[in-house]
Amino acid sequence: MSIYLDATRCRRTPRPPIWIMRQAGRYLAEYRAFRDKYGFLEMIRTPEIAAEITLQPIRRFGFDAAILFSDILTVADALGADLNFVEAKGPVISNPVRSMSDLDQLVGHDLRDRLSYVTQAIQALKPALGATPLIGFSGAPFTVASYMIEGGSSRDLKTTKQLIYSQPETMEALMDRLVKSTADYLNMQIEAGVDAIQIFDTWAGLLSYAEFQTWVIKPIRAILNRLRNPAGVPITLFAKGTALFWQDLVQLPVQVIGLDWQVDIGTMSRTIPAEFGVQGNLDPMVLYATPEILEAKVNQILETMADRPGYIFNLGHGILPDVDPAQVQRVVGLVHQFENERIRT
Ligand code: CP3
């Protein structure tokens, strides 16, 4: 019995389940204690450490789901991108893909071996988590491609768009590689025993509608079609900045739509068909608010979503590293306290 899994199937739950994006990370002292000793990629690649970091926020806050401690760029790394996480800069890839010959330099074969540490981390976690479900994840091809092309983070994805508009065949070939690798990667995670999947397309909202069709909807559909998912592990799609294109999102065979912090969750809830779960969307910056303002903002979301079965409380993007964990504890307390009005009556 898991209220998170119930909500992904649009079953009514006594209160909304809660987990938060980036729930394991630098805002926790117990994470920083490991991070002082190990590199980020080293932590991800060591199954015992990845499992331990995944468990930290579950122990501290009792979240209703755990998310595997890893990164969306593990697939890029496995494909041969020379990936490093640089302090205060984020991911850096020293061999970006900007031509067909760059793409040919990447490795083309068995990602299973290269990503076996993920299977091992999942296998270590399952017994330790008990009844708490484990969410596996991947980046969507467009967002992962953008890091592989830019060589790191970018405000406007200029280099990615240059590639799209000047060498569409290179972009097509890179995306094709990523569709196959990502599907294999998610199949690996499902086989290893994850209870749910979330796909992150963080930069999907930077595309025009036409390019969104080509580089977001089409490849995500191709991945979903490749999944071997006999038990029907539920799938959440978090495509930041794409609520305007909700009609296309709800054509995809996913169970939950993740909403970013910018949209009005009540309006979106009335818009998204009832058979979908809805997840989100507290502005992560609200975690800097006074306790009174924080409470008002959290309760506003809870009340707005009280009559929707399948609502999952979350932030509208990842938690920031300098947030006070006491604020997270407050949010969890408010969600735990909340009783769904419709269920009571
Ligand atoms: O949610 C979780 O707790 C699970 C783990 C997780 C991480 N990254 C850990 C992480 C997940 C699901 C991600 C996804 C991810 N990674 C996304 C998509 C979601 C989003 O936030 O938009 C993206 C775009 C990335 C790529 C990435 N990884 C960036 C841009 C950065 C640097 C920014 C930053 O926060 O430092 C990372 C690093 C990263 N990923 C950290 C963590 C805990 C910090 C690493 C450190 O300790 O130095």
Side-chain angles (χ1 to χ4, degrees), residues 305-338:
M305 298 306 283
D307 62 355
R308 184 169 183 125
Y311 171 59
I312 298 161
F313 191 96
N314 205 314
L315 303 180
H317 199 189
I319 187 170
L320 292 161
D322 62 348
V323 164
D324 179 355
Q327 292 283 76
V328 176
Q329 191 63 67
R330 285 192 183 97
V331 173
V332 171
L334 291 165
V335 175
H336 281 184
Q337 239 175 56
F338 189 78

Side-chain angles (χ1 to χ4, degrees), residues 210-341:
E211 302 309 315
F212 168 81
Q213 295 290 330
T214 309
W215 309 115
V216 174
I217 295 294
K218 196 167 146 257
I220 291 176
R221 181 183 296 284
I223 289 172
L224 296 168
N225 287 340
R226 281 171 167 266
L227 293 187
R228 289 184 302 274
N229 187 5
V233 160
I235 297 166
T236 298
L237 175 59
F238 175 74
K240 188 169 166 284
T242 64
L244 200 56
F245 308 150
W246 67 270
Q247 278 166 310
D248 300 275
L249 299 177
V250 301
Q251 298 302 314
L252 292 169
V254 298
Q255 283 66 51
V256 181
I257 304 288
L259 297 175
D260 68 64
W261 52 268
Q262 197 167 27
V263 299
D264 179 56
I265 198 169
T267 306
M268 288 311 300
S269 180
R270 287 188 294 277
T271 307
I272 295 169
E275 64 266 30
F276 289 88
V278 169
Q279 175 177 283
N281 80 336
L282 186 73
D283 183 350
M285 303 284 182
V286 170
L287 294 171
Y288 300 117
T290 64
E292 295 71 30
I293 294 173
L294 178 69
E295 179 173 345
K297 297 285 184 195
V298 171
N299 283 336
Q300 193 175 22
I301 293 179
L302 291 171
E303 273 150 30
T304 302
M305 298 306 283
D307 62 355
R308 184 169 183 125
Y311 171 59
I312 298 161
F313 191 96
N314 205 314
L315 303 180
H317 199 189
I319 187 170
L320 292 161
D322 62 348
V323 164
D324 179 355
Q327 292 283 76
V328 176
Q329 191 63 67
R330 285 192 183 97
V331 173
V332 171
L334 291 165
V335 175
H336 281 184
Q337 239 175 56
F338 189 78
E339 280 185 82
N340 190 313
E341 289 291 326

